[in-house]
Amino acid sequence: MAAVTHFTIEKEDCKGAQAVKKLPLRQFAPLLIAMVGLPGRGKSLLARRLSRYLNYTGDNTKVLDISDYRRKHMEKYASHEMFRADNLPAWRLRQQSFREALEDAADWLQKPGHHVAILDGPNVSRSQRQEIYDLVYGQLGFRIMFIECVCEDPTILERNFKDILQYSADYCGMATEQALTDLTYKMAHYKAQYESPSLGSHWELPCPMVKLLDGGYGGIVAHGVTGTKESKILAYISVPKPSQQVIYFSRHGESEFNLIGRIGGDAPLSPRGRVYSQALAKHVHALNLPALQVWTSTLQRTKATAANIQAPQLHLHELDEIYSGDCESLTYEELQERFPRELALRDHEKLKYRYPQGESYVDVMQRLVPVLTQLECETNVLTVSHQAVLRCILGYFLETPFDEIPYFHVPLHTIIKVTLKGYNYTMETVKMPIECVDTNRAKPTNCSVNRSSEDALLTVPAHLDSLSNLNTLTPCT
Amino acid sequence: MAAVTHFTIEKEDCKGAQAVKKLPLRQFAPLLIAMVGLPGRGKSLLARRLSRYLNYTGDNTKVLDISDYRRKHMEKYASHEMFRADNLPAWRLRQQSFREALEDAADWLQKPGHHVAILDGPNVSRSQRQEIYDLVYGQLGFRIMFIECVCEDPTILERNFKDILQYSADYCGMATEQALTDLTYKMAHYKAQYESPSLGSHWELPCPMVKLLDGGYGGIVAHGVTGTKESKILAYISVPKPSQQVIYFSRHGESEFNLIGRIGGDAPLSPRGRVYSQALAKHVHALNLPALQVWTSTLQRTKATAANIQAPQLHLHELDEIYSGDCESLTYEELQERFPRELALRDHEKLKYRYPQGESYVDVMQRLVPVLTQLECETNVLTVSHQAVLRCILGYFLETPFDEIPYFHVPLHTIIKVTLKGYNYTMETVKMPIECVDTNRAKPTNCSVNRSSEDALLTVPAHLDSLSNLNTLTPCT
């Protein structure tokens, strides 16, 4: 798994053990995050979001959901009775699930290149939290951080409950009314067992503790935060993010450079690209989105594409296309002629390959982080950007494996709708009926630096030789 | 001023003004941070630290200290009387200073490429905070964030008062006892006027507010945090940093590559380098530093240099030398022969120049950020690293202008001590009496790509041609 930032620790060791008192240095050790909170307080959504963000920004992260372990031990979820404090066999099963998840988290953190494990579950009792602390901090010498989700806002609670009824594996197939009653009882059982960790001098353990109120909308209280990972996590979770979210994306309309197969540059739209710009505005206006915003790059093809949309607009350098440095404005044929070795190296490892004096996909992913974290807080934003940039953005929301991001299919003249459903984002596309070229060049089979020009150019999409051939194009629809 | 991350906004605008209701988009607008708190609560130290961090990480930041404006209007500070609520002429002067600083902050934020202004002062009254909000948020459409420093810990307070007596311009030249009495009265006057902003639903303004307790050691309470800059700032200030701090640095001992003028690589120490390793350990042990830690890179020359020091050790990839890619292990003479254009480009703009398949100084600065923010929380750490890396680290603490960082003089066989004094870090060096080569190549006068080899190599320091000439060296002392 490639990492956007390269934050790694080789090992810890101690010199002169016999002579001086040594403390193990654990400033950069792996980190376990333990969630704390009643059901329906937004723990799982937060855990998945945090995991998505940490993975994208170079901290290899895994979520371990205690309820998944519990379900492994049950044929099928029966009822809330299993969460009663006085149901001893069920309590044992829940304890066992907790321990299995915790041990798997600890195992996972011990493997090289693994940075953060998130133990997602209620962890409502002091003794459970003490057990987590003793194993992860005491025995393994790792770092630990607790995040408690407290929520009293009835609107947020109601929405969270609806999400649980809709998306939880426990309630899959159960009638809505029955499920709602069951969830209400389950909540009551957990409330009875809940020993809320308090903060300040009374927080029960000597490690960082963050209390998030009403999903962040009610503020945040943190104590004992140390460490770069922990403060990065605090920053991420302190900004509230909506639990209902729809965001839209589009590439710019077909540009003159698209027509003639040139990469980069700052070309104007083609006649068909201008038609797309009209169609996009019409489509978006018909959606009647409240508080619609448009974000574009600073290049003229995205600005022109969004120009007809009646909404406030932001133009951000971060959304500019991947900068291909010395290779800007070339066709693939010219690239192969002038930089055959570069083209082969790029095909070999497109994610990390950096154009001479230009950028790599990893560079683009990195410069997008502030925009992505802001976008996560918004709804009804239409982002008009470019092929490589949208690959990186969609790769973030859809958690695409890094190596597949540079090959994500993002065609021209297509509106992409990304919706948060449960803990994950889903994607839908609407292809506008306006002809355009295909700019997607698939990975060639032969990526060797000694390959023939024919092999190198095998997957280059068809394009015009020059703009004077415009009349050979399929007419606009 | 070069920026490590390139986060910029081109402009905000609105399309179709006549047709739809538009809200100005200010997600990425400039930010004013207003400090709030009584004297001696650590506001100024926090403001300077935050400014150092933000500037280094690409957010062009300026601190405006209201007391500097006040001092411009006074011949010389007389006494605490000027802070009494019922001293009307003095109150007017303080209001005037507040407004001048605020207006300068607002002016500064309106210039392109300026990102964050920090208004450092007590800002104890509701009406002052409302005035800040009305101007910066209401009129200018910028972003705003308040940081309140609350401190009740007597140990921290006592240390802060000592710092004020020692470093404040007001008390420069005043006898200690008189100054202490004056400060006590000043504090009482401010306490009488203090309208603490409360948090949660009662926080008086609709913008982010962070309350820092006992310099962060007592935790943090945040409300309404939105925006990438604000969450980055929250992350930085949430981790407590000592107000008394000494950290040590050293390059590795002279290496075999140093002797023969080669860059990069992973060479062992030279015989003189091994002598330095002994001397360094002896020197450090004699300092008898409590809870000493040693951080090195993962390369053998730093590990060997630190090997004799009896203390826990961390080996971090982030501390590895700048990676010179295709130019690794070459001499400057070979570089000039094989990559004359690259060498000229590097000399022309050493900060941003990136070796082919390698790193630039900007890249190194960026990968160091997690180590730097951790180092700011430590005391008595000895970091053993490399020339370019130490230039970037020292550049951070000493706030060296970016363009000067690649030319910062960090000689071999020298122990560097960096101490926090007041709001700034100072540097002292101890040169060990062990001969070594000089590896510092000054910027040549001629940086053109057409220059002669002679011009390119003019400033290359003397070195052996090969290790077989070892006997021509000055003997070890």
Side-chain angles (χ1 to χ4, degrees):
Chain A
M1 193 79 144
V4 176
T5 57
H6 306 279
F7 195 78
T8 48
I9 171 173
E10 202 189 39
K11 60 168 184 178
E12 287 187 11
D13 63 7
C14 293
K15 299 278 169 182
Q18 65 296 345
V20 282
K21 186 176 168 268
K22 302 142 293 76
L23 296 164
L25 300 180
R26 58 171 95 193
Q27 288 96 331
F28 303 98
L31 170 69
L32 182 109
I33 298 173
M35 307 301 294
V36 176
L38 294 172
R41 265 57 186 178
K43 295 185 304 296
S44 293
L45 177 56
L46 185 68
R48 302 303 158 113
R49 275 186 155 144
L50 186 55
S51 159
R52 179 182 298 115
Y53 168 72
L54 291 173
N55 274 317
Y56 194 85
T57 54
D59 285 313
N60 196 351
T61 300
K62 183 175 182 176
V63 177
L64 298 104
D65 182 344
I66 297 173
S67 69
D68 285 343
Y69 287 80
R70 192 235 314 142
R71 278 186 284 270
K72 278 185 208 161
H73 295 293
M74 305 185 328
E75 292 256 327
K76 191 178 181 305
Y77 176 73
S79 87
H80 62 88
E81 292 288 338
M82 80 157 304
F83 298 109
R84 295 175 68 114
D86 56 4
N87 183 344
L88 213 64
W91 180 84
R92 279 202 202 98
L93 191 142
R94 288 193 285 130
Q95 269 304 94
Q96 189 188 343
S97 312
F98 160 77
R99 286 206 179 111
E100 286 169 357
L102 174 60
E103 277 160 24
D104 276 2
D107 284 350
W108 194 81
L109 282 179
Q110 288 176 80
K111 303 225 169 69
H114 290 184
H115 303 122
V116 181
I118 306 180
L119 187 66
D120 181 20
N123 301 316
V124 287
S125 76
R126 284 222 170 92
S127 66
Q128 283 178 320
R129 297 192 290 268
Q130 187 70 49
E131 198 171 327
I132 296 170
Y133 181 84
D134 289 345
L135 173 66
V136 175
Y137 188 90
Q139 281 187 49
L140 298 175
F142 290 165
R143 302 178 67 84
I144 196 159
M145 179 181 193
F146 286 88
I147 300 177
E148 186 188 16
C149 293
V150 175
C151 185
E152 300 299 336
D153 183 304
T155 322
I156 300 178
L157 280 176
E158 195 190 324
R159 221 163 35 207
N160 289 352
F161 291 177
K162 273 190 189 154
D163 279 350
I164 292 178
L165 296 184
Q166 190 171 358
Y167 299 109
S168 161
D170 287 344
Y171 296 119
C172 174
M174 199 185 284
T176 310
E177 201 140 326
Q178 189 196 346
L180 187 60
T181 312
D182 189 87
L183 183 58
T184 312
Y185 275 109
K186 175 180 170 182
M187 205 76 64
H189 300 321
Y190 266 113
K191 261 195 182 163
Q193 298 159 59
Y194 195 48
E195 300 172 298
S196 172
S198 47
L199 279 183
S201 50
H202 298 104
W203 157 234
E204 62 203 30
L205 292 168
C207 64
M209 169 74 199
V210 180
K211 197 191 275 271
L212 195 69
L213 307 165
D214 293 335
Y217 290 100
I220 197 160
V221 183
H223 194 266
V225 175
T226 57
T228 51
K229 279 194 210 81
E230 290 87 334
S231 67
K232 174 181 169 183
I233 289 163
L234 177 65
Y236 180 79
I237 67 174
S238 68
V239 181
K241 293 160 190 74
S243 59
Q244 310 279 308
Q245 195 181 17
V246 188
I247 35 184
Y248 298 85
F249 300 93
S250 172
R251 286 176 68 185
H252 53 81
E254 182 188 70
S255 76
E256 291 188 354
F257 264 26
N258 292 150
L259 278 178
I260 54 176
R262 296 193 178 275
I263 65 170
D266 189 13
L269 295 183
S270 76
R272 302 192 300 199
R274 290 196 293 274
V275 175
Y276 175 71
S277 149
Q278 302 281 353
L280 174 67
K282 203 174 154 194
H283 181 93
V284 168
H285 292 154
L287 294 173
N288 223 347
L289 303 171
L292 170 69
Q293 306 169 48
V294 178
W295 298 5
T296 81
S297 78
T298 67
L299 299 168
Q300 61 167 325
R301 57 194 186 277
T302 61
K303 287 183 181 175
T305 303
N308 299 299
I309 302 170
Q310 302 207 333
Q313 307 219 352
L314 265 181
H315 309 302
L316 298 166
H317 284 293
E318 289 72 12
L319 292 172
D320 286 355
E321 182 55 312
I322 187 170
Y323 183 58
S324 40
D326 295 346
C327 303
E328 278 281 295
S329 306
L330 299 183
T331 62
Y332 283 108
E333 293 82 354
E334 289 166 348
L335 256 170
Q336 171 60 22
E337 200 185 316
R338 293 167 58 178
F339 305 103
R341 187 183 143 84
E342 294 292 328
L343 189 57
L345 290 175
R346 183 159 200 261
D347 285 337
H348 180 67
E349 199 177 11
K350 200 174 174 188
L351 180 75
K352 290 188 187 164
Y353 171 82
R354 184 181 268 150
Y355 283 108
Q357 314 300 324
E359 290 182 303
S360 66
Y361 268 84
V362 171
D363 292 333
V364 175
M365 289 168 70
Q366 194 155 15
R367 74 155 136 102
L368 279 172
V369 170
V371 173
L372 289 169
T373 49
Q374 187 60 43
L375 207 47
E376 277 191 289
C377 304
E378 310 274 353
T379 194
N380 293 342
V381 172
L382 166 64
T383 298
V384 182
S385 183
H386 305 264
Q387 181 166 254
V389 171
L390 288 175
R391 282 171 172 161
C392 297
I393 293 179
L394 293 169
Y396 177 75
F397 286 105
L398 303 172
E399 296 179 84
T400 309
F402 284 3
D403 287 339
E404 293 172 24
I405 284 179
Y407 297 100
F408 200 115
H409 195 49
V410 188
L412 286 169
H413 296 188
T414 302
I415 300 164
I416 297 165
K417 180 182 176 185
V418 170
T419 309
L420 178 62
K421 287 194 177 149
Y423 310 142
N424 302 309
Y425 289 91
T426 58
M427 181 175 107
E428 297 156 84
T429 57
V430 179
K431 178 98 183 86
M432 293 279 118
I434 298 154
E435 292 280 337
C436 55
V437 294
D438 179 8
T439 61
N440 193 56
R441 175 172 169 268
K443 181 171 181 158
T445 321
N446 186 352
C447 297
S448 137
V449 291
N450 307 314
R451 66 186 173 181
S452 66
S453 280
E454 203 187 351
D455 275 359
L457 299 175
L458 209 60
T459 58
V460 174
H463 60 83
L464 298 180
D465 288 337
S466 80
L467 289 173
S468 58
N469 298 346
L470 264 181
N471 57 346
T472 64
L473 285 178
T474 324
C476 290
T477 50
Chain B
M1 192 79 142
V4 177
T5 57
H6 306 279
F7 195 80
T8 48
I9 170 175
E10 202 189 40
K11 61 169 183 176
E12 288 187 9
D13 63 9
C14 293
K15 300 277 171 183
Q18 65 295 345
V20 280
K21 186 176 168 266
K22 302 142 290 78
L23 296 166
L25 299 181
R26 57 173 95 195
Q27 289 97 330
F28 303 99
L31 170 70
L32 182 109
I33 298 173
M35 307 300 294
V36 176
L38 294 171
R41 265 57 186 178
K43 295 186 302 297
S44 294
L45 177 56
L46 185 67
R48 302 304 159 110
R49 274 185 156 145
L50 186 54
S51 158
R52 180 183 297 116
Y53 167 73
L54 291 173
N55 274 316
Y56 194 85
T57 53
D59 285 313
N60 196 351
T61 300
K62 184 175 181 174
V63 177
L64 298 104
D65 182 343
I66 296 174
S67 69
D68 285 343
Y69 287 80
R70 191 236 313 144
R71 277 186 285 269
K72 279 185 207 161
H73 295 292
M74 305 185 326
E75 293 254 326
K76 190 178 181 305
Y77 175 73
S79 87
H80 63 89
E81 292 290 336
M82 80 157 305
F83 299 109
R84 295 175 66 116
D86 56 3
N87 184 342
L88 212 63
W91 180 84
R92 281 203 200 96
L93 191 142
R94 288 194 284 130
Q95 269 303 94
Q96 189 188 343
S97 312
F98 160 77
R99 287 206 178 111
E100 286 169 359
L102 174 59
E103 277 160 21
D104 277 2
D107 284 351
W108 193 81
L109 283 179
Q110 288 176 80
K111 303 222 170 70
H114 290 183
H115 303 122
V116 181
I118 306 180
L119 187 67
D120 181 21
N123 301 317
V124 288
S125 76
R126 284 221 170 93
S127 65
Q128 284 178 320
R129 298 192 290 267
Q130 186 71 50
E131 199 172 326
I132 296 170
Y133 181 84
D134 289 345
L135 173 66
V136 175
Y137 188 89
Q139 282 187 49
L140 297 175
F142 291 165
R143 301 178 68 84
I144 196 158
M145 179 181 194
F146 286 88
I147 300 177
E148 186 187 18
C149 293
V150 175
C151 184
E152 299 300 336
D153 183 304
T155 322
I156 299 178
L157 280 176
E158 195 189 326
R159 223 164 33 208
N160 289 352
F161 291 176
K162 273 189 189 156
D163 278 350
I164 292 177
L165 296 183
Q166 191 171 357
Y167 299 108
S168 161
D170 287 344
Y171 297 120
C172 173
M174 200 186 284
T176 310
E177 200 140 326
Q178 189 195 346
L180 187 61
T181 311
D182 189 88
L183 183 58
T184 312
Y185 276 108
K186 175 180 170 181
M187 206 74 67
H189 300 322
Y190 266 113
K191 262 196 180 161
Q193 298 160 59
Y194 195 48
E195 299 172 299
S196 173
S198 46
L199 279 183
S201 50
H202 298 104
W203 157 234
E204 62 203 30
L205 292 168
C207 64
M209 168 75 198
V210 180
K211 197 190 276 269
L212 195 70
L213 307 166
D214 293 336
Y217 290 99
I220 198 161
V221 184
H223 193 265
V225 175
T226 57
T228 51
K229 280 193 210 81
E230 290 88 334
S231 66
K232 173 180 170 183
I233 289 163
L234 176 66
Y236 180 80
I237 67 174
S238 67
V239 181
K241 292 158 191 75
S243 59
Q244 310 278 309
Q245 195 182 18
V246 189
I247 36 184
Y248 298 85
F249 300 93
S250 172
R251 286 176 68 184
H252 53 81
E254 183 188 70
S255 75
E256 292 188 353
F257 264 26
N258 291 149
L259 278 178
I260 54 175
R262 297 194 177 276
I263 65 170
D266 190 14
L269 296 183
S270 76
R272 303 192 299 198
R274 289 195 292 275
V275 175
Y276 175 71
S277 149
Q278 302 282 353
L280 174 67
K282 202 173 154 193
H283 181 93
V284 168
H285 293 154
L287 294 173
N288 223 347
L289 302 170
L292 170 68
Q293 306 169 49
V294 178
W295 298 4
T296 80
S297 77
T298 66
L299 298 168
Q300 63 165 324
R301 58 194 186 277
T302 61
K303 287 183 180 175
T305 303
N308 298 299
I309 302 170
Q310 303 207 332
Q313 308 218 352
L314 265 181
H315 309 302
L316 298 166
H317 284 294
E318 288 73 11
L319 293 173
D320 286 355
E321 182 55 313
I322 187 170
Y323 183 59
S324 41
D326 295 347
C327 303
E328 278 282 295
S329 306
L330 300 183
T331 63
Y332 283 107
E333 293 83 353
E334 289 166 346
L335 257 170
Q336 172 60 21
E337 200 186 314
R338 293 168 55 179
F339 304 103
R341 188 184 143 83
E342 294 292 329
L343 189 57
L345 290 175
R346 183 158 201 262
D347 284 339
H348 180 67
E349 199 178 10
K350 200 173 172 187
L351 180 75
K352 292 187 188 166
Y353 171 83
R354 183 181 269 150
Y355 283 108
Q357 315 299 325
E359 289 182 303
S360 67
Y361 267 84
V362 172
D363 292 333
V364 175
M365 288 168 71
Q366 194 156 13
R367 75 154 133 102
L368 279 171
V369 169
V371 172
L372 289 169
T373 50
Q374 186 60 42
L375 207 47
E376 276 191 291
C377 305
E378 311 273 352
T379 195
N380 293 340
V381 171
L382 166 64
T383 299
V384 182
S385 183
H386 305 265
Q387 181 166 254
V389 172
L390 289 175
R391 283 170 171 160
C392 297
I393 292 178
L394 294 169
Y396 177 75
F397 286 105
L398 303 171
E399 296 180 85
T400 309
F402 284 3
D403 286 340
E404 293 172 24
I405 284 178
Y407 296 99
F408 200 116
H409 194 49
V410 188
L412 286 169
H413 296 188
T414 301
I415 300 163
I416 297 165
K417 181 182 176 185
V418 169
T419 309
L420 179 62
K421 287 195 175 148
Y423 310 141
N424 302 307
Y425 289 92
T426 58
M427 181 174 107
E428 298 156 83
T429 57
V430 179
K431 177 97 185 88
M432 292 281 118
I434 298 154
E435 292 278 339
C436 55
V437 293
D438 180 8
T439 60
N440 192 56
R441 176 171 169 268
K443 181 173 180 156
T445 321
N446 186 353
C447 298
S448 136
V449 290
N450 307 314
R451 65 185 174 184
S452 67
S453 280
E454 202 187 353
D455 275 0
L457 299 175
L458 209 60
T459 59
V460 174
H463 60 83
L464 299 179
D465 289 335
S466 80
L467 289 173
S468 58
N469 297 346
L470 262 181
N471 56 346
T472 66
L473 285 178
T474 325
C476 291
T477 51

